[in-house]
Amino acid sequence: MNLLEKLKQLPNDAGVYQYFDKDGHLLYIGKAKVLKNRVKSYFKFTPKLLPADKLGPRIYKMISEVVSCEWIVVPNEHDALILENSLIKQLKPKYNILLRDDKTYPYIVIDYNEDFPRLEITRKIHKGKNIKYFGPYSTGAKDMLDSIYEIVPLVQKKSCVKGKTACLFHQIQKCLAPCENKISKEEYSKIVENALEYIYNKSKLITKLNERMIQYSNDFRFEEAMNLRDRIKTIEKSQIKSGIDLATNEDIDIFAISASNKKAVVVRMFLRDGKLASSSHDFLKVNNFDENFDFDYNEAYKRAIINYYNNEIPLLPKEVLIAIELEAVEIIELEDFLQTRFNKKIKILNPKKDKKKDIVQIAINNCEELLRIDSSKNQTTIYEELKELFGLQTLPYLIESYDNSHMMGQATVGAMVVWSEELNAFDKKAFRHYNLESKDEYSQMREMLIRRVENFEKNPAPDLWIIDGGETLLKLAYDIIQSVGMNLDIIAIAKEKVDAKAHRAKGAAKDIVHYRDKNKEFKNFKLSTSDKRLQFVQRQRDEAHRFVINFHKKQKRAEDKQISLLQIKGIGEAKIKKLLLYFGEFEKIKNASIEELQNVLNEKDAITLTNYFTTPKD
């Protein structure tokens, strides 16, 4: 069915639509209140099917590439908005604006329902009234809290209040022992107010920390002084000096976006009690964006707002200020999203005057400064070099690398390591281990990658996969990705074979990097061992290898211990290993029937093993 015939079948329902090119690549995902009206608005139908004249240059180019269209019908526009956002994060369409997956920022919280309340860090909403939140904090929350607890004698731990005897914290003068009634609730409340002053006024906290740092240095406690110095720097990063005070106690969130020189950035700023509390920023991923094409600010703002507020937000703003004037229908759509999401009316405004306009201008100035700093770097980054070398669709700012390991089918495991351009390092919190059931390396990699793809909804895909292997595993990875209809760049790195064995000479590791070019042809590079691009890819592979080997050793030690425990009369290590190869794990051997065990053992051994597991142990 050609595109024109497909468009004639569009329904009058709300839903999400997807555009594909001639090679089946996903170009764009959008949502609509009425699918028929929205999708047809991209085209003109006379004398033949062409992009509509009113489209901007970037979308005009995209529609010129469209050869097929699919859609998903949903009950209402709100559901369409949520589904659109989820699919964009999972499938990474070529022409959509892509944001890093927003996480809930940490807040500092105090529960006034407690007799002796204390400050804690949270990312969740606490049930009950008389709970106050401070934040969100993009950085420095833990350093602030640690500092306050060193300066102010708050209750250090919840368990302290429940105890009947003063603990070590009282002895070192960091707690006033309410557990022994050595301080009244009224006196303690004054201490709490003192602590809160350091949250409201970071400059006061920094001054106090500087005094302590100098004192530590004078006392030759240099390590403690250096730790305080680092803490002060972190807190200072979170401090925004705007000179603006709204003279109200309003909670307001601000979003500003600027684009130039093939890049775009979003800045978020958070006003709490009328004062700037913190800010954060992210560079946006915009494929096919250059100075000749328009930047879709409307889509960028919608993506930024939906992405951020689709998380749990402990402290909601009264208003969201944005730096452009969105169309009325888009404002209503976003406000309805927030109303449905939080059961609270939150206005979205583009202020035209007074201090709110000034604070939005500060956010815009921050955007422009970030773009200026980024453009001043001049030098080509390793990410740009990799994109150029392998013909990648996008800059690989987030990279996942995979490897697997086993020994004669025993302790079969896989591992994923993650490299973040934002950290300029491995994101070790994002590393993952996999216990695998498959028997050969091809099936093991397939099992691991399928499990990762199935988790894209919770943990969106990266920009690039690096596979430890050759062309066969590269083709496997592409088959898996194409089966779910998403865009993801993949390369594979394999050792050069010398006399049918991998060449592993130290300092001269002759690796071959396999990739797929823009024409979908599989090719490879034998790069010089001094090539920075090769060394970067090797670093990813080597970290995955290190991580999986360590996990394999741990799992094998555990299995060897179980093997020794299972060695009973007539059934030794060799038979146990055969069982492991067949069943994959000990639990399955333990629960297997005699008939199932006889696929590996003779009848006598099968009965012996079954009796061993079913007979109660003393």
Side-chain angles (χ1 to χ4, degrees), residues 516-564:
R516 191 178 74 170
D517 67 13
K518 293 179 179 178
N519 297 317
K520 292 189 174 182
E521 294 182 4
F522 288 93
K523 297 183 177 180
N524 64 71
F525 281 119
K526 290 184 180 179
L527 300 171
S528 164
T529 54
S530 61
D531 191 295
K532 299 294 183 185
R533 299 164 298 184
L534 174 63
Q535 291 174 355
F536 181 83
V537 176
Q538 286 174 328
R539 185 179 177 188
Q540 311 305 308
R541 185 271 317 278
D542 292 346
E543 179 65 9
H545 187 68
R546 179 201 66 79
F547 193 56
V548 77
I549 288 298
N550 287 346
F551 185 55
H552 167 75
K553 289 176 179 177
K554 179 181 176 182
Q555 295 299 89
K556 189 174 184 303
R557 282 195 298 270
E559 290 194 4
D560 287 344
K561 184 177 180 180
Q562 288 183 284
I563 285 174
S564 65

Side-chain angles (χ1 to χ4, degrees), residues 341-577:
R341 178 80 177 82
F342 302 111
N343 195 27
K344 178 182 177 181
K345 185 67 175 176
I346 302 172
K347 298 291 292 181
I348 297 177
L349 304 169
N350 172 229
K352 304 295 186 184
K353 59 182 181 178
D354 299 331
K355 290 185 177 180
K356 289 182 180 178
K357 181 183 178 182
D358 294 339
I359 203 72
V360 169
Q361 187 60 50
I362 289 173
I364 294 172
N365 294 343
N366 271 270
C367 288
E368 293 172 351
E369 178 65 9
L370 287 164
L371 290 172
R372 185 193 67 78
I373 292 170
D374 185 77
S375 64
S376 68
K377 292 177 182 176
N378 289 327
Q379 74 271 18
T380 303
T381 66
I382 185 67
Y383 310 103
E384 292 169 318
E385 292 178 1
L386 290 172
K387 183 177 185 292
E388 178 69 24
L389 180 65
F390 299 118
L392 306 179
Q393 301 173 73
T394 186
L395 290 167
Y397 287 149
L398 191 65
I399 302 170
E400 293 176 357
S401 301
Y402 295 86
D403 194 6
N404 50 276
S405 179
H406 70 98
M407 181 176 288
M408 299 293 290
Q410 188 182 350
T412 304
V413 297
M416 173 187 86
V417 301
V418 181
W419 175 271
S420 166
E421 174 267 344
E422 186 178 16
L423 300 174
N424 193 32
F426 288 105
D427 182 1
K428 296 195 175 183
K429 292 180 180 178
F431 284 16
R432 293 291 181 270
H433 287 129
Y434 296 87
N435 283 301
L436 306 174
E437 296 186 2
S438 303
K439 303 297 181 271
D440 61 90
E441 291 187 10
Y442 181 91
S443 299
Q444 288 159 12
M445 185 62 72
R446 181 176 181 274
E447 179 185 345
M448 180 164 49
L449 296 183
I450 287 175
R451 285 170 62 180
R452 176 65 184 100
V453 167
E454 289 173 344
N455 195 41
F456 278 166
E457 185 173 359
K458 292 181 180 179
N459 180 15
D463 305 313
L464 175 67
W465 271 358
I466 297 178
I467 307 296
D468 185 10
E471 185 176 310
T472 301
L473 291 184
L474 179 64
K475 289 179 177 178
L476 165 69
Y478 267 112
D479 287 343
I480 291 170
I481 287 300
Q482 288 169 348
S483 71
V484 294
M486 75 164 299
N487 293 323
L488 177 62
D489 290 312
I490 311 171
I491 62 175
I493 178 170
K495 297 288 185 185
E496 181 185 40
K497 299 290 184 180
V498 177
D499 296 330
K501 293 183 178 180
H503 183 80
R504 297 185 182 275
K506 191 170 184 180
K510 302 195 176 187
D511 290 324
I512 303 172
V513 183
H514 300 265
Y515 69 103
R516 191 178 74 170
D517 67 13
K518 293 179 179 178
N519 297 317
K520 292 189 174 182
E521 294 182 4
F522 288 93
K523 297 183 177 180
N524 64 71
F525 281 119
K526 290 184 180 179
L527 300 171
S528 164
T529 54
S530 61
D531 191 295
K532 299 294 183 185
R533 299 164 298 184
L534 174 63
Q535 291 174 355
F536 181 83
V537 176
Q538 286 174 328
R539 185 179 177 188
Q540 311 305 308
R541 185 271 317 278
D542 292 346
E543 179 65 9
H545 187 68
R546 179 201 66 79
F547 193 56
V548 77
I549 288 298
N550 287 346
F551 185 55
H552 167 75
K553 289 176 179 177
K554 179 181 176 182
Q555 295 299 89
K556 189 174 184 303
R557 282 195 298 270
E559 290 194 4
D560 287 344
K561 184 177 180 180
Q562 288 183 284
I563 285 174
S564 65
L565 291 173
L566 285 176
Q567 289 182 41
I568 59 179
K569 186 176 180 180
I571 302 177
E573 182 177 344
K575 290 180 181 179
I576 294 296
K577 286 186 176 180

Side-chain angles (χ1 to χ4, degrees), residues 271-289:
L271 272 76
R272 296 298 176 256
D273 293 323
K275 298 179 178 63
L276 272 171
S278 66
S279 73
S280 67
H281 74 271
D282 277 316
F283 284 95
L284 310 183
K285 290 184 60 184
V286 190
N287 298 329
N288 304 285
F289 167 51

Side-chain angles (χ1 to χ4, degrees), residues 215-277:
Q215 185 61 51
Y216 284 153
S217 181
N218 292 337
D219 293 342
F220 302 103
R221 296 161 66 179
F222 298 120
E223 186 174 346
E224 291 168 277
M226 288 174 64
N227 289 337
L228 266 188
R229 179 202 61 189
D230 294 341
R231 188 185 293 177
I232 291 166
K233 285 182 179 179
T234 303
I235 296 172
E236 284 178 334
K237 284 180 183 178
S238 70
Q239 191 177 29
I240 304 164
K241 298 175 182 176
S242 70
I244 286 184
D245 187 338
L246 294 184
T248 70
N249 292 327
E250 291 180 285
D251 296 330
I252 297 173
D253 293 352
I254 302 104
F255 287 77
I257 298 175
S258 292
S260 69
N261 196 30
K262 299 186 180 182
K263 280 217 172 180
V265 66
V266 55
V267 166
R268 310 170 197 84
M269 299 176 73
F270 307 101
L271 272 76
R272 296 298 176 256
D273 293 323
K275 298 179 178 63
L276 272 171

